[in-house]
């Protein structure tokens, strides 16, 4: 079973509502395949033996200071994606969005959609307005997700603003990679991953820059691990340590980066993602699978990346 954990759908009505509320919109000019009808999209998946695509709102997160606005946006997003999942007959499913930073409303929305057969888990932005993912305000949400043994798909919020007034396009091209990096490391160093061990977090795009800067941060991660062991939060013989406490998707078009991620993050912690429709051509979509199949890691590990691992996480039949 091949599962694409990282794909998007951009309903015009939802984008209009997000824009009216002052939210961020996706860069559609960089996603030419978004014009495909759902039937064409299914044909592309079938051509490449992709059995299931998991939808997330991406930058269309229903985050708003006004609780009513956030709730309305979350319901609109989830209803649209769950309807698309139902209409697909089983080849689409969705990560649910939550109306944050409003904890009670988020828990209510989780209860509303969490039991839907088309809902496989939750998506969170790399930040929630001005909150980092390890902010204490989000702890009740994590507790609820932990109780449900939820899988959480993280996606860049595209809120990084550190490039100056003239960003030269850097916010769009690499801002999200910086957000992935920071979110993944913060989830580790803050101890969110050990306080809520039943949540499976998937960080996209190979963890941003993390595989390439790991030599600079591994000492800090090791120190955090030792602190947790001293406090009795983890046992000294825990096999899941460091980067292996998270999952990482393979959405990249740069094969050497994928090779580095295999060696740094571990093939057993990678899950397949395309970032459709930001695969700019049908050939690029196909190449995302070819890159995994070309890895010299053996067929069993390739199958794990392509779908077996996430199928086990989500309780789906192979």
């Amino acid at each position: 079973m091949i599962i694409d954990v990282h794909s998007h759908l951009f309903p015009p009505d939802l984008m209009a509502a997000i824009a009216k509320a002052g939210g961020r919109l996706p860069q559609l000019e960089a996603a030419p395949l978004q014009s495909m009808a759902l039937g064409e999209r299914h044909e592309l998946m079938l051509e490449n033996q992709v059995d299931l695509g998991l939808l997330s709102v991406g930058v269309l997160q229903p985050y708003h200071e006004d609780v009513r606005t956030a709730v309305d946006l979350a319901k609109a997003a989830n209803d649209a994606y769950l309807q698309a999942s139902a209409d697909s007959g089983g080849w689409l499913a969705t990560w649910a969005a939550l109306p944050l930073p409003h904890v009670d409303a988020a828990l209510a929305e989780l209860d509303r959609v969490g039991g839907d057969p088309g809902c496989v888990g939750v998506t969170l932005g790399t930040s929630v307005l001005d909150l980092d993912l390890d902010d204490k305000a989000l702890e009740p949400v994590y507790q609820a997700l932990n109780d449900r043994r939820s899988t959480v798909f993280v996606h860049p919020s595209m809120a990084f603003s550190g490039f100056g007034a003239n960003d030269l396009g850097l916010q769009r091209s690499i801002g999200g990679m910086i957000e992935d990096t920071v979110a993944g490391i913060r989830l580790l160093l803050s101890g969110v991953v050990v306080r809520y061990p039943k949540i499976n977090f998937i960080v996209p795009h190979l963890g941003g820059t993390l595989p390439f800067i790991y030599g600079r941060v591994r000492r800090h991660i090791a120190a955090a691990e030792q602190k947790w062991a001293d406090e009795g939060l983890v046992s000294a013989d825990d096999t899941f340590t460091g980067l292996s406490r998270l999952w990482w998707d393979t959405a990249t078009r740069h094969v050497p980066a994928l090779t580095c991620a295999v060696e740094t993050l571990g093939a057993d912690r990678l899950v397949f993602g395309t970032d459709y429709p930001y695969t700019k051509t049908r050939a690029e979509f196909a190449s995302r699978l070819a890159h995994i199949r070309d890895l010299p890691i053996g067929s069993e590990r390739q199958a794990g990346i392509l779908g077996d691992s996430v199928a086990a996480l989500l309780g789906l039949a192979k």
Side-chain angles (χ1 to χ4, degrees), residues 73-152:
L73 292 175
K75 287 183 175 180
N78 291 331
D79 288 350
Y81 292 166
L82 289 172
Q83 187 62 57
S85 300
D87 291 345
S88 78
W91 56 270
L92 290 175
T94 191
W95 304 107
L98 300 178
L100 292 168
H102 312 285
V103 168
D104 289 345
L107 297 178
E109 183 65 4
L110 182 60
D111 286 339
R112 186 180 79 90
V113 301
D116 190 289
C119 179
V120 294
V122 164
T123 182
L124 293 176
T126 46
S127 58
V128 178
L129 300 183
D130 61 346
L131 302 179
D132 292 312
L133 287 189
D134 56 299
D135 195 284
K136 295 296 184 184
L138 300 177
E139 298 272 332
V141 176
Y142 289 142
Q143 186 60 62
L145 294 171
N146 193 71
D147 292 344
R148 289 172 173 265
R149 297 178 175 269
S150 297
T151 298
V152 173

Side-chain angles (χ1 to χ4, degrees), residues 206-288:
L206 303 175
T209 68
L210 189 51
F212 319 107
I213 65 168
Y214 180 58
R216 300 184 65 90
V217 299
R218 61 184 171 187
R219 179 171 58 87
H220 302 283
I221 296 173
E225 295 272 357
Q226 184 59 55
K227 178 174 179 291
W228 304 332
D230 292 343
E231 294 174 352
L233 292 174
V234 298
S235 63
D237 59 352
D238 194 332
T239 57
F240 289 99
T241 60
L243 301 181
S244 68
R245 294 185 183 276
L246 296 165
W247 297 85
W248 317 86
D249 90 25
T250 63
T252 183
R253 57 175 57 95
H254 189 52
V255 177
L258 181 59
T259 301
C260 180
V262 167
E263 296 181 4
T264 307
L265 306 172
D268 293 342
R269 304 304 287 183
L270 296 178
V271 292
F272 177 61
T274 64
D275 204 359
Y276 177 96
Y278 291 97
T279 44
K280 297 184 185 301
T281 65
R282 299 174 74 96
E284 184 180 337
F285 185 92
S287 74
R288 298 290 169 97

Side-chain angles (χ1 to χ4, degrees), residues 11-56:
D13 290 348
L14 176 61
M15 289 197 296
I18 292 285
K20 183 178 180 180
R24 293 181 178 84
L25 296 178
Q27 189 183 20
L28 295 186
E29 61 271 24
L33 294 188
Q34 63 88 23
S35 62
M36 277 186 170
L38 282 181
E40 293 177 284
R41 179 173 183 164
H42 191 205
E43 289 175 3
L44 178 63
M45 291 170 62
L46 288 173
E47 287 171 12
N48 292 279
Q49 300 177 310
V50 177
D51 299 287
L52 180 63
L54 306 184
L55 301 173
S56 82

Side-chain angles (χ1 to χ4, degrees), residues 16 39 52 69 73 117 126-127 145 153 162 173 182 187 194 251:
L52 180 63
T69 300
L73 292 175
T126 46
S127 58
L145 294 171
F153 179 73
S173 61
V182 172
L187 287 170
V194 296

